Amino acid sequence: MNREGLVRMSRRRQRKYVKRQKRDRVWGYVRIAVIGLVSVFLLSVTSLLALFGYTYAMVSEDLPELDQYSAAELAQTSIVYDSVGNVVDELHGVQNRFVVGLDEIDSTLRDAVIAIEDHRFYDHRGVDLEAIGRAAGENISNLSVRQGGSTITQQLIKNTYIAQGQRQIPSLTRKMTEASLAWQYEEQHTKEEILEQYMNTVYFGANAYGAEAAARTYFDKSATELTLAESALLAGVINLPGTYDPFSDPESARARRDVVLDRMLEYGYITPQEHEEAIAQDLALSRGQVEYENDNQYFLDAVRKELAEQYGDRAVYEGGLKIYTTLDPELQGHAVTAVEKVVAPESGDPSASLVSVEPSTGAVKAMVGGSDFEQVKFNLATQGKRQPGSSFKMFVLAEAIRQGISPDTVYTSKNLNIDMGVGAAPYRVYNYNYVERGPVSLKTATEQSDNTVYVQLAQDLGLENVAATANNFGLGSTLDIYPAMAIGGLGEGATPLEMASSYSTLANGGTHMEPYLVERVTGEQDGEEVTVQKREPQGTEVLTRDQAAAVTQTLRGVVERGTAGRYRNLDAEIGRPSAGKTGTTELFVDAWYIGYVPQLATSVWVGYPEERQSMVYVRGFPEINGENFPLDIWSLYMQEATKELPVQELDTPSRNLGLGIKTDGRSYNGKESARVAQERANFRKPSPSKEPQKPPVNAPPPPIYGPP
């Protein structure tokens, strides 16, 4: 081989050698880099674990014991039912929650939560060191906090044992406390118990705490009815409820749902086919009913106030009570319809209130406290103390019967100037249209709603006695002992609930039953439903049955011949006999009709809720009084409310009642028949016209109260 050939071979070897050296150097650098990165990672994890162990060792002597803490009592939503068992309201404060058993939560939701929140839940003892290390490595490598290491048990501890104000404050000490308590908690509870408690405490956004509230909020169904896709969506919300809110950001919520489904597939909770089918589904949200039918709001408002006064707000809104009310949904619907058919406040009409009471028990079956709860929160049915006008005369009549005075007793209907004592102006009393009827019986005076006769009668009976009888009937107002009381001039006024309850006493044979809206209240104790309150009907005899029947028969005349029958035939309209009384106050500010059949007593008030405004020239009516709007509403309601009730006759008094015609005081002596006839002839007969008459010459101011 020549020298030139050797040189060429040497050069080729040299080039190969150089390439090999360069390659070895590159791989050396790569190996050094990899070893360095691994070393840094291991050092970081080791340092973190060392720091964790060091910190634990440093504070271990001061770590809390579980028995030093008490679990926060879970706030639970209370449920309100009507008389047939329908849910009509849910009462909750900040937290909307329904505590349920683990078997009442679909298994797909349980699996989804474990898969995305703590897939080693069944493998650790409350603290997952492997997850902590993995999270720390991920966070260090990304130079950000992307993962956490909290287990389901630690989250449960945070939600139930850590004070609300400390839960969101980053603190190594708090984390150590949670870990220590979680470790101890797992010694005392099974995994199933822990999971059940967690599923009832965790926040799912939209004010929904716990699985049941979440299912109702997002899908309007029970947690037992959830599908796989729905469960995955709910489980995904837990991490960041604001970010993954499906109502406000459905795309983010869906992407997060799919991540949960991926995890469930990865950890073997679902099959590939189930995964693909769930991924393909839409969100199919169905927002749970936030508010129930507005028709019930005034009734429910009264229930909430009553229970809050009795048990306190916390028990009502956080106690998980079951509240069974007297509300009859059919009667309530008829009541709302009747009111809406007659008055339209949005068009300038006055408002109306209706209350219907079952006389035999005192149960309030229907309540309309106004015409628009959203605009006027004030409940006229229970809070609106208005002047009852001539509807108060029933109490005067009842006291007369109680004292043994017959409705055939005669008084003179005439203008009155009542001396009120030294230095006081006389009290002047007139009838509507200044009518003076002359000698009339109490029966006729009731039918025609004569003011002057009833003021005289009340004076003879004793105003204090009349006030006491009114209170015994159920009128809770403080009554001013003044002649105007006899015709409804009360200092405080009366509510439609009080008036309906009072008149129901007559329908119940003279025994007054305290009105109520809640039949019973139950709560949960040690997993069992226990009765907190059960209504026992409470009755007080105000009149004997015969005495009540005598009052009823007199009020029956109001329907047949008097103010309630002037323009209509109520018996034909509702298909049965009834009794009742109209009432209208000064300047047509308040208008009433309260009437009853044996099974139901109903009051109707019409007026302007905020201002004491005269109801004149409303929709072509010169004036609104007890004979038109209130009676229209009452009739429309009772036509429907009594359809399913058997027809019952009103009570009539027995012959043994022994009422006597009063002949002393301001009434006539029966022997003075000639003088009675003469006086009757001297008085002007009432005009059949409803148009206002011209007042007499030198007449005093208009009557204090309007028509009957």
Side-chain angles (χ1 to χ4, degrees):
M1 184 179 295
N2 58 30
R3 184 174 182 83
E4 183 178 351
L6 291 173
V7 170
R8 283 199 298 268
M9 288 182 61
S10 176
R11 287 177 179 173
R12 282 199 300 270
R13 289 173 182 171
Q14 186 177 15
R15 284 197 295 270
K16 288 182 181 180
Y17 176 76
V18 170
K19 288 181 181 179
R20 186 167 56 252
Q21 279 191 321
K22 288 181 179 179
R23 186 173 61 247
D24 291 344
R25 281 200 300 272
V26 170
W27 279 110
Y29 294 148
V30 170
R31 283 195 297 272
I32 292 171
V34 169
I35 293 170
L37 288 174
V38 171
S39 299
V40 169
F41 173 75
L42 293 176
L43 181 62
S44 299
V45 172
T46 304
S47 299
L48 182 67
L49 293 176
L51 176 62
F52 181 86
Y54 174 76
T55 304
Y56 185 87
M58 291 295 293
V59 300
S60 59
E61 295 182 359
D62 298 322
L63 280 177
E65 294 293 333
L66 188 61
D67 57 13
Q68 296 173 349
Y69 285 69
S70 57
E73 187 174 348
L74 294 183
Q76 296 189 54
T77 298
S78 295
I79 305 175
V80 184
Y81 302 88
D82 63 21
S83 61
V84 296
N86 300 319
V87 175
V88 290
D89 203 7
E90 294 176 357
L91 307 179
H92 59 79
V94 176
Q95 298 184 7
N96 176 25
R97 177 187 284 111
F98 304 89
V99 174
V100 295
L102 197 60
D103 58 346
E104 298 175 79
I105 301 171
D106 193 83
S107 60
T108 58
L109 180 56
R110 304 197 299 263
D111 294 342
V113 169
I114 292 174
I116 195 66
E117 290 294 311
D118 184 6
H119 76 276
R120 283 173 36 81
F121 174 68
Y122 288 105
D123 299 326
H124 60 65
R125 261 269 315 264
V127 179
D128 190 352
L129 297 179
E130 178 181 316
I132 293 174
R134 183 176 61 252
E138 181 70 19
N139 294 338
I140 291 171
S141 64
N142 289 284
L143 299 178
S144 64
V145 179
R146 294 189 178 184
Q147 292 189 15
S150 291
T151 64
I152 282 177
T153 313
Q154 286 175 271
Q155 293 181 53
L156 174 63
I157 291 295
K158 181 179 73 174
N159 292 335
T160 54
Y161 284 86
I162 304 302
Q164 182 75 33
Q166 299 177 3
R167 294 177 190 174
Q168 306 304 323
I169 301 175
S171 167
L172 181 59
T173 301
R174 179 177 65 77
K175 284 293 184 182
M176 294 297 297
T177 298
E178 288 177 11
S180 174
L181 295 179
W183 188 275
Q184 298 172 57
Y185 199 79
E186 291 240 359
E187 288 183 329
Q188 303 173 14
H189 298 83
T190 66
K191 289 290 186 179
E192 286 69 26
E193 290 173 338
I194 293 170
L195 184 59
E196 178 180 301
Q197 293 165 12
Y198 176 78
M199 297 296 285
N200 280 300
T201 58
V202 66
Y203 181 52
F204 286 88
N207 199 36
Y209 289 79
E212 181 68 15
R216 297 189 189 192
T217 299
Y218 293 106
F219 301 109
D220 198 19
K221 60 171 61 173
S222 170
T224 59
E225 303 169 323
L226 292 169
T227 66
L228 171 60
E230 292 167 346
S231 293
L233 177 73
L234 295 183
V237 169
I238 295 174
N239 180 249
L240 292 171
T243 302
Y244 302 128
D245 183 348
F247 293 126
S248 61
D249 191 348
E251 292 304 318
S252 295
R254 180 168 187 156
R256 177 65 175 173
R257 179 202 70 177
D258 294 349
V259 170
V260 175
L261 291 169
D262 292 344
R263 293 288 181 86
M264 295 182 75
L265 177 63
E266 178 184 352
Y267 298 129
Y269 288 108
I270 57 176
T271 66
Q273 182 178 350
E274 290 172 328
H275 175 269
E276 293 305 317
E277 290 175 353
I279 288 283
Q281 292 183 23
D282 293 331
L283 296 187
L285 299 172
S286 178
R287 187 185 288 273
Q289 206 166 14
V290 178
E291 290 187 4
Y292 288 84
E293 292 296 328
N294 192 48
D295 291 355
N296 303 325
Q297 285 306 312
Y298 286 106
F299 186 100
L300 297 174
D301 174 73
V303 169
R304 290 189 288 265
K305 284 182 169 62
E306 177 183 317
L307 292 175
E309 289 177 1
Q310 189 168 1
Y311 298 109
D313 286 343
R314 183 173 182 182
V316 174
Y317 292 96
E318 299 180 10
L321 302 175
K322 292 184 177 180
I323 302 160
Y324 301 89
T325 72
T326 60
L327 178 68
D328 186 310
E330 289 192 12
L331 297 191
Q332 182 68 20
H334 296 323
V336 172
T337 300
V339 168
E340 291 179 346
K341 282 186 176 181
V342 176
V343 296
E346 65 275 9
S347 301
D349 286 358
S351 188
S353 177
L354 181 153
V355 177
S356 202
V357 175
E358 185 177 65
S360 60
T361 62
V364 179
K365 292 298 184 178
M367 176 185 291
V368 178
S371 301
D372 190 349
F373 184 79
E374 292 306 315
Q375 296 297 322
V376 183
K377 300 291 186 183
F378 185 73
N379 193 339
L380 292 163
T382 58
Q383 299 170 285
K385 288 187 174 290
R386 299 304 181 111
Q387 300 302 312
S390 293
S391 63
F392 186 89
K393 291 171 183 172
M394 181 275 286
F395 302 112
V396 184
L397 176 63
E399 176 59 18
I401 299 293
R402 194 189 70 80
Q403 291 190 22
I405 298 172
S406 169
D408 293 323
T409 298
V410 176
Y411 277 82
T412 300
S413 168
K414 60 183 180 181
N415 298 333
L416 301 176
N417 284 309
I418 301 174
D419 184 7
M420 299 305 296
V422 178
Y427 173 56
R428 296 174 176 178
V429 187
Y430 310 95
N431 291 317
Y432 177 64
N433 253 356
Y434 301 98
V435 170
E436 294 179 291
R437 296 182 174 86
V440 294
S441 67
L442 293 180
K443 186 180 296 183
T444 300
T446 304
E447 294 168 3
Q448 301 303 318
S449 202
D450 194 293
N451 291 336
T452 63
V453 167
Y454 262 86
V455 170
Q456 295 177 78
L457 174 62
Q459 288 182 296
D460 283 353
L461 297 173
L463 295 174
E464 296 85 353
N465 294 329
V466 172
T469 292
N471 290 146
N472 291 337
F473 264 81
L475 202 64
S477 304
T478 301
L479 303 177
D480 293 338
I481 307 303
Y482 192 81
M485 176 183 65
I487 51 177
L490 311 184
E492 191 177 10
T495 67
L497 174 58
E498 289 175 327
M499 295 303 288
S501 174
S502 295
Y503 273 69
S504 74
T505 303
L506 300 173
N508 195 40
T511 297
H512 175 67
M513 307 300 292
E514 285 294 323
Y516 65 98
L517 293 82
V518 178
E519 287 280 3
R520 62 190 176 95
V521 178
T522 66
E524 187 176 301
Q525 183 176 338
D526 298 329
E528 299 289 333
E529 187 173 1
V530 296
T531 300
V532 177
Q533 168 190 321
K534 185 176 182 181
R535 180 73 183 192
E536 298 293 342
Q538 300 175 359
T540 303
E541 185 178 283
V542 182
L543 301 176
T544 67
R545 179 168 287 276
D546 276 347
Q547 289 170 340
V551 178
T552 291
Q553 289 305 310
T554 306
L555 296 180
R556 178 88 181 105
V558 175
V559 173
E560 292 181 309
R561 299 173 296 277
T563 54
R566 186 168 289 165
Y567 304 113
R568 61 201 317 151
N569 184 340
L570 281 182
D571 287 5
E573 290 174 16
I574 70 172
R576 65 195 65 219
S578 66
K581 185 70 186 72
T582 54
T584 311
T585 63
E586 181 182 8
L587 302 177
F588 308 101
V589 169
D590 304 285
W592 297 78
Y593 184 73
I594 305 101
Y596 56 93
V597 297
Q599 305 100 315
L600 206 60
T602 302
S603 70
V604 177
W605 169 88
V606 174
Y608 289 99
E610 296 177 350
E611 298 180 5
R612 299 191 64 77
Q613 180 179 340
S614 295
M615 295 184 290
V616 293
Y617 301 109
V618 176
R619 278 199 280 119
F621 288 85
E623 70 239 4
I624 303 302
N625 56 47
E627 298 172 22
N628 44 49
F629 281 12
L631 201 52
D632 292 342
I633 294 171
W634 189 91
S635 177
L636 287 172
Y637 167 72
M638 292 295 280
Q639 288 175 43
E640 299 298 327
T642 60
K643 271 186 178 178
E644 303 301 321
L645 299 176
V647 176
Q648 292 184 14
E649 296 296 324
L650 296 165
D651 283 350
T652 56
S654 69
R655 296 180 180 180
N656 300 324
L657 179 56
L659 298 179
I661 295 177
K662 185 176 180 297
T663 58
D664 58 353
R666 295 164 180 80
S667 63
Y668 273 108
N669 187 317
K671 297 178 181 180
E672 301 178 290
S673 56
R675 184 166 68 83
V676 169
Q678 184 60 47
E679 290 201 18
R680 190 185 302 277
N682 291 339
F683 280 98
R684 294 178 293 107
K685 294 186 178 180
S687 169
S689 171
K690 289 295 290 180
E691 293 299 321
Q693 295 181 7
K694 202 176 207 179
V697 178
N698 299 324
I704 291 180
Y705 294 96

